[in-house]
Amino acid sequence: MRAALAVLAVLTAVLLQGVVLAPLPLPGAGRPDLVLVVVVAFALAQGPAVGMAVGFGAGLLLDLLGDHPAGLLALVLCLVGYGCGVVADEADRSTLAPLLIVAAAAVAATVGYAALSALGGDPRVSWGSLSRALPSTVAYDVILAPLVVPLVAAGSSRLDPAAAQRSTTRPDPPLRSPPT
Amino acid sequence: MTTGPRRVRLVLALLVLTSLTLVTIDSRAGDGSALDGLRSATAAVVGPIQRGLASVVRPVGSALGGLGNIGKAGDRIEQLERDNEALRRELDGRRADGQRGEQLERLLRVSAAGQYPTVAAQVVAVGGSLGFEWTVTIDAGTADGVAPDMTVLNGDGLVGRVKSAGPYTATVLLAVDATSSVGVRREGAGQIGLAEGGGLGPLQLRLLDPQAEVARGDRIVTFGSPNGRPFVPGIPVGEVVDVQETPGGPERLADVAPYVDFAALDLVGVVVAPPRVDPRDVVLPPQPDPTSG
């Protein structure tokens, strides 16, 4: 059931990204990346295991629809999903924390993808175009975050409230100190 | 159920390894990757949904419906004139999107002028995740006669070429993409060069002859590839706006402002067969009279 939600969310994000968001005449050289924000949202709601799986799947779908070697975005979004899942507990600390995590994820994903592409000899990547596009990309992703993150969180907890607790990379702390 | 952290990291390593393997397979194969089948299958599934969503999100251009493949050698002009008349009547009678109708007329005029057999299509999605690719997805595919390495144009000029084609949609590599390189020549001249994409900025024109004369205001058209694949000859590309002075250099460089507005692509045409005769400079609009205005 949760898997179905994730697949649907990723597919919807890819479609909305291509058909609605990318063609918009927005100011700045960057564009909003709805798929990235959805991956981060899943990682924040359900932890690193789900984050990396959703990231890999979404990245692979974007790779197959795109014009670059397949596997690049799968790798980048998988790692970003895992990383955001690991710090997911921090997201509860304040209302600002998820926005910062999305911003950091946007920077990491964009720079990471650019670096990997450049390593692979892609002539499209240049430091100039990266530095021009990065600030507005991050800004648009941060704008999308308050819309997407709560939506995914609500959907996750409604579908599977027992499993709404995150799978973490460290064991749960003891609920109370052991008796002395 | 909480997944153990070690197992999670194991799966992560597995996914990373899979990704890297895919990258290796896909990069090394050049133009014929083992993953092309997977790409085609993905396009076959996602394409129709993109088309459906696009038709909901944008006003439907009902005049496009019956256009299809325009004519063959000999009947081409008559066919275009008949279609043009029918479409004009249809457009007059309907509450169609005015802008879309105008684009269609311009596209038909360019197709007719150069005698390019053209399949009309609409841009349904813009590609370029994380922003380095300049591609669009159009709602015509192999089922409509579109194949890779076909020229894509609109009423203003060269848009790009078909990079890959699924059954119902195709991906177009735009002329402004950094990997796009188009053989071009100056209007009226034989000097040839390459127009390379520079993303948001102007196209970079490299004239192969360092003695070549090129000046601001020169108009550039496609030179044409063998068999018209990927580029048919005579399509307007852009106008020279700046010439770089590098005397003694191996080639002449210039900036070309493209005629097409790549930020606002909507209706395009895919040239499915080369024109019988090179249209030379016929497709370019007549030069404005310098004494008027």
Side-chain angles (χ1 to χ4, degrees), chain B residues 236-260:
Chain B
V237 174
E239 188 174 303
V240 176
V241 291
D242 186 43
V243 181
Q244 274 118 58
E245 298 300 328
T246 50
E251 49 190 12
R252 294 274 272 157
L253 297 171
D255 287 343
V256 173
Y259 289 124
V260 168

Side-chain angles (χ1 to χ4, degrees), chain A residues 46-85:
Chain A
Q46 297 181 28
V50 172
M52 73 181 179
V54 172
F56 181 82
L60 190 59
L61 182 59
L62 285 176
D63 284 334
L64 291 174
L65 290 174
D67 186 39
H68 55 263
L72 274 181
L73 279 175
L75 178 60
V76 169
L77 290 183
C78 175
L79 291 173
V80 164
Y82 178 79
C84 291

Side-chain angles (χ1 to χ4, degrees), chain A residues 75-174:
Chain A
L75 178 60
V76 169
L77 290 183
C78 175
L79 291 173
V80 164
Y82 178 79
C84 291
V86 165
V87 300
D89 288 334
E90 316 295 324
D92 287 340
R93 295 270 168 90
S94 70
T95 40
L96 217 55
L99 299 182
L100 290 173
I101 295 178
V102 167
V107 172
T110 312
V111 173
Y113 177 67
L116 283 174
S117 295
L119 269 177
D122 191 335
R124 288 170 169 139
V125 178
S126 74
W127 179 243
S129 55
L130 176 64
S131 56
R132 270 196 304 268
L134 194 57
S136 39
T137 301
V138 173
Y140 289 130
D141 289 347
V142 168
I143 292 173
L144 284 175
L147 302 168
V148 177
V149 174
L151 203 63
V152 171
S156 306
S157 58
R158 194 160 302 170
L159 273 181
D160 215 346
Q165 66 168 1
R166 301 181 195 100
S167 54
T168 62
T169 57
R170 52 186 188 282
D172 293 324

Side-chain angles (χ1 to χ4, degrees), chain A residues 15 18-19 22-23 31 33 52 56 60-61 63-64 66-73 75 78 82 113 123-124 129 169, chain B residues 5 8-9 11-12 19 22-23 26-27 39 42 49-50 58 124-130 132-133 163 173 177 179:
Chain A
L15 288 167
V19 179
R31 286 193 225 127
D33 199 333
M52 73 181 179
F56 181 82
L60 190 59
L61 182 59
D63 284 334
L64 291 174
D67 186 39
H68 55 263
L72 274 181
L73 279 175
L75 178 60
C78 175
Y82 178 79
Y113 177 67
R124 288 170 169 139
S129 55
T169 57
Chain B
V8 171
R9 273 183 233 141
V11 177
L12 176 68
S19 309
L22 286 173
V23 173
D26 212 20
S27 321
R39 281 206 150 93
T42 311
I49 315 178
Q50 283 174 322
R58 291 145 192 235
V124 294
V126 174
S129 41
L130 301 184
F132 293 111
E133 303 160 24
K163 191 75 194 284
L173 184 71
D177 185 277
T179 59

Side-chain angles (χ1 to χ4, degrees), chain B residues 4-77:
Chain B
R6 241 173 92 194
R7 184 153 165 246
V8 171
R9 273 183 233 141
L10 200 66
V11 177
L12 176 68
L14 196 67
L15 289 176
V16 168
L17 204 64
T18 310
S19 309
L20 291 172
T21 311
L22 286 173
V23 173
T24 314
I25 296 175
D26 212 20
S27 321
R28 200 168 285 170
D31 270 345
S33 165
L35 294 169
D36 278 350
L38 199 55
R39 281 206 150 93
S40 191
T42 311
V45 170
V46 179
I49 315 178
Q50 283 174 322
R51 289 175 61 160
L53 184 60
S55 67
V56 166
V57 163
R58 291 145 192 235
V60 179
S62 49
L64 292 175
L67 195 59
N69 199 329
I70 306 179
K72 285 190 147 205
D75 303 316
R76 212 169 290 141
I77 296 185

Side-chain angles (χ1 to χ4, degrees), chain A residues 23-52:
Chain A
L24 286 177
L26 295 167
R31 286 193 225 127
D33 199 333
L34 182 60
V35 178
L36 174 74
V37 178
V38 165
V39 170
V40 175
F42 269 94
L44 292 179
Q46 297 181 28
V50 172
M52 73 181 179

Side-chain angles (χ1 to χ4, degrees), chain B residues 23-224:
Chain B
V23 173
T24 314
I25 296 175
D26 212 20
S27 321
R28 200 168 285 170
D31 270 345
S33 165
L35 294 169
D36 278 350
L38 199 55
R39 281 206 150 93
S40 191
T42 311
V45 170
V46 179
I49 315 178
Q50 283 174 322
R51 289 175 61 160
L53 184 60
S55 67
V56 166
V57 163
R58 291 145 192 235
V60 179
S62 49
L64 292 175
L67 195 59
N69 199 329
I70 306 179
K72 285 190 147 205
D75 303 316
R76 212 169 290 141
I77 296 185
E78 284 163 22
Q79 180 69 40
L80 281 168
E81 281 171 354
R82 279 200 298 272
D83 282 340
N84 211 344
E85 263 313 304
L87 284 161
R88 276 215 183 88
R89 270 184 260 121
E90 212 177 19
L91 285 170
D92 287 343
R94 289 170 181 264
R95 215 172 23 93
D97 183 357
Q99 235 186 7
R100 189 66 62 67
E102 197 198 296
Q103 290 180 54
L104 186 55
E105 282 200 33
R106 291 212 305 273
L107 177 61
L108 286 174
R109 204 178 304 138
V110 165
S111 292
Q115 295 192 44
Y116 306 115
T118 307
V119 169
Q122 199 181 328
V123 171
V124 294
V126 174
S129 41
L130 301 184
F132 293 111
E133 303 160 24
W134 285 81
T135 61
V136 295
T137 306
I138 59 174
D139 62 355
T142 54
D144 305 291
V146 171
D149 283 342
M150 286 183 172
T151 310
V152 181
L153 49 73
N154 72 4
D156 294 325
L158 179 74
V159 169
R161 64 179 171 94
V162 176
K163 191 75 194 284
S164 63
Y168 312 111
T169 52
T171 300
V172 177
L173 184 71
L174 301 179
V176 288
D177 185 277
T179 59
S180 166
S181 180
V182 185
V184 294
R185 61 175 176 78
R186 269 178 59 207
E187 174 191 15
Q191 276 131 24
I192 57 175
L194 289 173
E196 294 164 350
L200 285 171
L203 302 170
Q204 267 284 302
L205 172 63
R206 301 170 180 279
L207 283 172
L208 301 178
D209 181 0
Q211 312 298 330
E213 286 175 14
V214 61
R216 283 191 63 179
D218 280 352
R219 306 197 293 179
I220 310 295
V221 298
T222 55
F223 183 74

